[in-house]
Amino acid sequence: GSHTQKKLIYGGQVSFDGRTLPDARYLGGRHDEGARARAELACRMAAVKTAWMSMGTYWTRCTPWRMKRIVFLGKAQSAAVSGLEAFNFTKAQYAKLDTLVVKYLRVCMQGEACDKTGSHYVALTNRQVFQNRQISDTETGVRVRRLKLLQRAAQEPANHVQMLAAVMGDFPFEPP
């Protein structure tokens, strides 16, 4: 079957011109033969890290949180969710992405990501960190983006003909 063929290809027993890779970029995202989205998740995590690093020491400066929040949403959070409307991540994959986003969010909080109870500190959970800073987790962010896409398609169907045709087929009101 196809699994045997895949073993032959990646084992070098079938020759092709060029290289054979387990995933490929298509229309911006990374796709693999099993539709598992592992390659896309790795690219997303690298994009979040790159976006975070591009701001250097800005995150630890004495900038008001309102400004940091805007920059965080525009750089790190948008790198995490941009273009994911078409991907079907699992809860575990979203959790992995959230862990990275929260790691950077905790740095922005500069020691406020914990509660002091008595003489020791207790770290806030990831959900509490998101709630504390009024930022949605990546799964919710992607869900909102999907809803906005569908709303735009409903409001302006002429601008989304290909997507609507792929989902619904032919339209009786369109000329042949």
Side-chain angles (χ1 to χ4, degrees), residues 112-127:
E112 295 178 24
C114 61
D115 286 329
K116 185 174 182 180
T117 55
S119 62
H120 66 283
Y121 292 92
V122 177
L124 298 176
T125 65
N126 289 354
R127 179 176 293 255

Side-chain angles (χ1 to χ4, degrees), residues 73-170:
L73 289 173
K75 297 291 273 182
Q77 183 77 353
S78 69
V81 299
S82 179
L84 285 184
E85 294 91 338
F87 280 90
N88 190 15
F89 275 8
T90 63
K91 294 256 186 216
Q93 289 170 324
Y94 279 121
K96 195 171 184 180
L97 196 53
D98 278 342
T99 301
L100 182 65
V101 171
V102 167
K103 171 186 168 184
Y104 295 135
L105 195 52
R106 288 177 190 274
V107 173
C108 287
M109 292 175 74
Q110 296 179 311
E112 295 178 24
C114 61
D115 286 329
K116 185 174 182 180
T117 55
S119 62
H120 66 283
Y121 292 92
V122 177
L124 298 176
T125 65
N126 289 354
R127 179 176 293 255
Q128 289 171 324
V129 171
F130 278 128
Q131 287 174 346
N132 182 291
R133 293 302 171 180
Q134 298 176 341
I135 293 178
S136 65
D137 59 23
T138 53
E139 185 175 10
T140 304
V142 170
R143 188 176 296 130
V144 167
R145 292 171 71 97
R146 285 179 183 149
L147 286 171
K148 285 182 179 180
L149 173 67
L150 293 173
Q151 287 173 342
R152 283 193 307 270
Q155 289 171 346
E156 303 165 350
N159 293 338
H160 301 275
V161 172
Q162 288 179 330
M163 181 186 77
L164 294 172
V167 172
M168 303 194 180
D170 294 333

Side-chain angles (χ1 to χ4, degrees), residues 50-82:
T50 301
W52 173 264
M53 301 291 255
S54 71
M55 294 302 290
T57 60
Y58 171 77
W59 305 112
T60 56
R61 291 191 189 137
C62 293
T63 307
W65 170 247
R66 290 181 321 201
M67 294 303 297
K68 279 187 189 177
R69 182 180 185 277
I70 292 169
V71 175
F72 187 85
L73 289 173
K75 297 291 273 182
Q77 183 77 353
S78 69
V81 299
S82 179

